[in-house]
Every structure is written in C-alpha cells, then in structure tokens.
Amino acid sequence: MNAPLTANAGSNDLFLLAINLTNRCNLGCAHCYMDAKTLKDGGENELTTAEVRALLDDIASRSTETMVVLTGGEPLMRADLEELVAHGTGRGLSMVVGTNGVALTDKRVQSLKAAGALGAGISVDSLDPEKHDAFRGLPGAWEKTLNGIEACKRHELSFQIHFSVTEANAGEVPAMIDFARASGARVLNVFFLVCTGRGESMSDISPITYERVLNQLVAAQEQSQDLLIRARCAPHYKRIAYQRNPQSTLTRAAGYEGGGCLAGIHYCRITPEGGVTACPYIPDEEGNIRDKKFWDIWNQSPTFQSLRNPKLQGKCGSCEFQHLCGGCRARPLAMGGSLMDTDPWCIHIPDGSAVIEPMVEQPKQLVWSEEAEKRLSRVPSFLRKMVKSRAESYVHEQGLHVVTEEHLATLSAKRFGNGGPPRPNTPAAQQATRQTAAAEQVAALPWSEQARVRLAAMPAFLQEGVRAVAEDVARSEGRLEVNIKLLDRLEAESRPGRSLPWTDETDQLLTAFLAGKAPQVRMFVAPALESAAENFTRKRRATTVERADAEAAIAQLTGGVEWDEDALARVLAAPDFNRAGIKKAAEFNARKEGLARITSGDLTRFRNSAMMRAVQRMKGFGMQELSFDAYEIARDRVPRLKDNPEADKRFDTIRNFVAARENPGDLLGQDLLEKMKAQLKANK
C-alpha cells in the first residue's frame, strides 16, 4: 500500500447545488424521494421566481464556480424555468436541468439553450420500454424521453443519461453503458437509491448486487474511451476503484471527486419550499432560505459541520477507506440509526491497515500555457472544473509550475486510453472489406432525371464509383431515391483540400481505416470522412482535427457494430424503402444487448420481437385480426404520425409492396404469422 496522502478534510467549497423547483410532476415514479405530486395537486408554497432569483444572487455573491442543477419534481413544469436559467447564467453560474425528458420538445430545448443552459440530465431507467414506463408510471414515457434525447442532439444541447439501479434493472447496466455511448451522452450517472419519500416502500438492491454493479462501473470506466461513467450516492465506488488499481485516476482525484460523499461538504439541495438539506435522502432541514441567507445556513449548520468532520462509528470508523469512501450517511439514518453509524450496504471488512487519504486540493499558483487553456476550453463546461483540478494536481505531483497541452494529453491517455478503430489486416478490418464488397452488389436505387443527367456527364471511369457511393449514402439516410440535392452535397464534401489542420496521429488513423477499402471507395469515402471529422472539430469549437474527431466520423459511417456476412446480405436484400431502418434498428438492439456482432439469428430475433410488439399495439387498438387498418388507427392516436405526409408515403409504399407479392405470408414466415394471429385473438 502506498504512503497515505494528505486529506482535505474540513473543506466546504460548494461545487454542486440542486434546487428542487417544484413538487409537480408529469410522472409517478416508484422511487421518488420527493413523493412528487401530480400537476393538479402539486405546487403549494413553492419558491417564487423572485425567491429563486434572490437565491442565485446569493450563491453567485460568493462562488461562480458552483454548478446549479434545476430539478423537481419535473422542472419543465415551471413556466419560469428559462428565466431562472438565464438569471443564473447572467450571474456567472453554470446552469443545468435535471428532467425525465418527457416534455423535452424541440421548442423547449431551443429555449433552454438560448437561456444559457449548459446541459440536461435525462433519466432512463430501462432499455425495455414497458419496464421503464411501469417504473415511471406513464405509458409511452420511454418513447417521449428518447424523443427528448433526440431533440437535444438536434439542437446540440449537451446531455447526460441518469440511470437509477433497482433489483429489476440491475442486469441492464452493461447495456445501459452501451446505450449512453451510442446516444451521444457526455456522461452516464448511475444512481444508487436510498429508500425515502415515495420510494420508502421499495426494496433496495442487495449489498451483493450493489457491490457487483459498482465493480461493473469501475471496470467500464477503466476501459471507456468516450464516456464518463460515474456512480452517484455510492461512495464505495472509490474503495472498489482503489482495490482494483491503487494508481487509478479514479482513486487519486482531488476536490469534488476526492473522497467520500459530497453531502454537506461540496453539495446540498434546496426543497421547493426553500428548505436546505445535506442531500435529498437526508430529509432534516438545516434552515430555510426564506428565513436566513443560504451561506449562513451552509456555514453554520451543525449537521453540515459533522459531515465535514465526521466521527464515524462501527465498521466505518475502523475502515482503512473511511476518508476515501466513508460510506453513505443517509442509509443508516433511513434504517433508524444515526448519521455516523455503519453503512449497512457495505460488505467490505476492514483489514486494520493505515487510513488511505484522498489527494489534497492544490494551490492556485500554477500557470497554464496558452495551448493548454485552449484545450481546456474545449472541455464541456460542466466537466471543466474537474479536468482543471486533476491537471493541476498532476503537474504539482511532478514538481512543475506550468500546465501544458502535453500534460492534458497525458492525462487524457491515462483516463481514456489510446485505442481506436480496427487496424488493417485484422479480422474486423477484413470484415469491413467484405461488407463493402457486399454493398456493391445491392440492387440500384431509383435516380431522379436531374441526377441521371449529372451522372452521365461525369467521366466514364468515375460513374460506377459515384453511383455506388451515392446509393449507399441514400440508403443509410432512408432515402427512396438519389436526387440532385444529394449529389450536390456529396460533391461539396468530395472537394479536395482540408480547411483545418490535422494532427499526424489523426492522419495515420484515417490512412489505416481506408487501407483495406477498394480504390473507388477510398476516392469518395475519404473526403466524406474528412468533412465529417472537421464538422466534429467545429462542434467542439476547436481549430485542429484530433484523433477523437476522426474516430467519431468513422463511427458515424460504420454504425459502431460489426455484421456477419449472412446477416448483412439479408439487410441488403431487403426492399429499398426499409433497408436503412432495418439496419439502424438492428444496431440499436445489438447495442442494447451488448452485442459486438450481429448474426442472421439476431436479425430474426429482433424482427420477431418487433412484430410481436406491433401485435400488442394492434391489440391495444382493439383489433383481433391482422390488417393494415391498424395504421389508420395509429395515425389518429400517435402524435408523430398525425399530419405527417412522409409517414403516409412510407406506409403506402409498404402496403403496395406487400399487395404486389403472390404470397405475402412468405415475408415473415408461417410460424411467426400464426403466433401473431394467436396473440391478437387471445383474451387480454
């Protein structure tokens, strides 16, 4: 064991403040610590707009480094949410929103972003829509939440995924990590519940499950190259990380991520009525901002003082990890004990060794080089302070006084690794080459008259390559034909020359990826990848294309999931109008299940599952026979289908395709058809 470091005990910088703006909520989640009320019943005695503005002024008067999370209930139920975000932003605070995502429409995302919101934390509790909806207490909640995620992506509002672990969904942790990564989330926050509020009657996960899930999260973070994975309300995370690797950056972080629970030390929350508590699971109020200034409560609260200088009892008081972990203080309290009692959910047995200390916050006299500051500015705002703290701690350890870009690159490599897409001559690369060859055998898509004229005007030796690339792009985007607008776009993307500088490493990555591709593919794919990579660079407001930008462009092109040849052949043999949809749905399901490769059997299973879900929907419409009439009913009941000419056009295409077949039953197979019919006729 290494010599212990110096602890930063007693520090009480407020890094994170959660404001529960309202008791109102559009859902009825089983685990809610607030016991949030319906829209009809909630909202009594809540802080007014003026009171929340005054609170934000008070916070900013002492600290503009504090991140403020506006949550609920459901904060989107507050009509003044954007006003509060704008007010906090104007005071120099980092403002984010914690939401269930159900009401996160395009319009609302745009207004939040315009107000200055840095991001949103969106709750997803299962990748099974039915399980999520049952947990959240609203049919259709899962689909609406995913629509909210897509709205954030469309308008480039950063978002995190929040996942609350229960016994029912603990097995979904690996799939949820893949989902968060595939969705484009910056962070996956995994919450470990304390049974309070409405959740008091719930059965918590077992200590064994708790330990297993934390090990999964630590292992995943050690391997993660593009996603920050964090355990919340689970200080044992640090103990497990140390046991796996004492030198891990997860164990040697300072300040906000230093050691133990944040409650009352670097974090607290405000209730909708203005009460101040150490955390949502410690219900005792230390004062009310209507009666007393926030900072007076923060500085003088006896509970907060005890949390900052804990005198732990029982097993926690004799544990070598008492400073790095310290256990959850809310759990013993919720079970009838005292704040300082043993955390009953920890299975670790102290070994009597010296107490392990987290790293101390470093003095602020360090200097940052201009290049390092530019690189730091590209880090999302809500992560910037943590990255800055880690960099300064690292440089201080080296006995240096200047933080350089090289230091940041070193830390990034230590945390996220240097892995990349498959290299040439590897099985994965060979598979990609086979996929390309298979793609070239796909039946041609229709071309508009203008597009055909443009193609005919090209040099003969280029025409076949242009045709292949254009049709592949059209299929990937779900287009029904190749038109002149698509060709214009592809030509613009194909123009030689780069507009931004590229690092040598990024150049090498692109060369390696293209090495196994056919010449005509390289001719057109390379410029498209270059354009996509530079777009990713601009999105993070950088001026140099780095490895991560090229990796993102390649992942966008490849879909991030490998395909067996027979499975890919089935997709390519599908009708043009649904080929892209089949591919995207299969890749989504594969990520959901944690599959690295899609087989023909997987495709069959995904299809059958989708068809049985469709039957359940039809059954919900009151239908007892398979019929296209289901679409007419759905169009009236499903908002995204109403007044949607594109959906109508796509459905007509499908209906005409089926009607033109001599034996439509061959499309699905007789066994599946019989199962679908039996399910429809069965009693509810």
Side-chain angles (χ1 to χ4, degrees), residues 120-237:
I122 303 173
S123 299
V124 181
D125 295 309
S126 177
L127 296 177
D128 182 332
E130 292 183 1
K131 287 172 63 175
H132 175 91
D133 292 355
F135 190 69
R136 290 277 160 180
L138 178 70
W142 189 85
E143 184 174 359
K144 291 178 180 177
T145 296
L146 263 62
N147 288 340
I149 290 172
E150 291 301 315
C152 289
K153 291 164 68 174
R154 281 192 293 273
H155 303 291
E156 299 184 349
L157 179 67
S158 294
F159 64 94
Q160 307 176 358
I161 299 295
H162 292 176
F163 175 60
S164 297
V165 180
T166 66
E167 284 290 355
N169 66 10
E172 294 188 53
V173 169
M176 186 59 68
I177 293 170
D178 289 342
F179 169 79
R181 179 177 290 110
S183 72
R186 300 276 190 178
V187 179
L188 172 64
N189 281 323
V190 180
F191 288 85
F192 291 80
L193 307 176
V194 180
C195 296
T196 58
R198 191 185 301 145
E200 189 172 7
S201 60
M202 289 184 65
S203 297
D204 202 352
I205 61 173
S206 69
I208 298 297
T209 301
Y210 186 69
E211 191 84 359
R212 172 172 58 81
V213 171
L214 285 175
N215 268 282
Q216 288 177 323
L217 296 178
V218 173
Q221 183 62 92
E222 290 172 347
Q223 299 298 317
S224 180
Q225 301 179 15
D226 53 0
L227 178 70
L228 188 58
I229 304 166
R230 300 189 289 196
R232 294 306 189 202
C233 305
H236 312 289
Y237 183 78

Side-chain angles (χ1 to χ4, degrees), residues 442-446 475 478-480 572-580 650:
V442 180
L445 276 179
R475 291 185 192 95
R479 297 173 179 264
L480 300 179
L572 298 177
D576 293 338
F577 58 81
N578 70 342
R579 189 178 297 133
R650 184 60 57 92

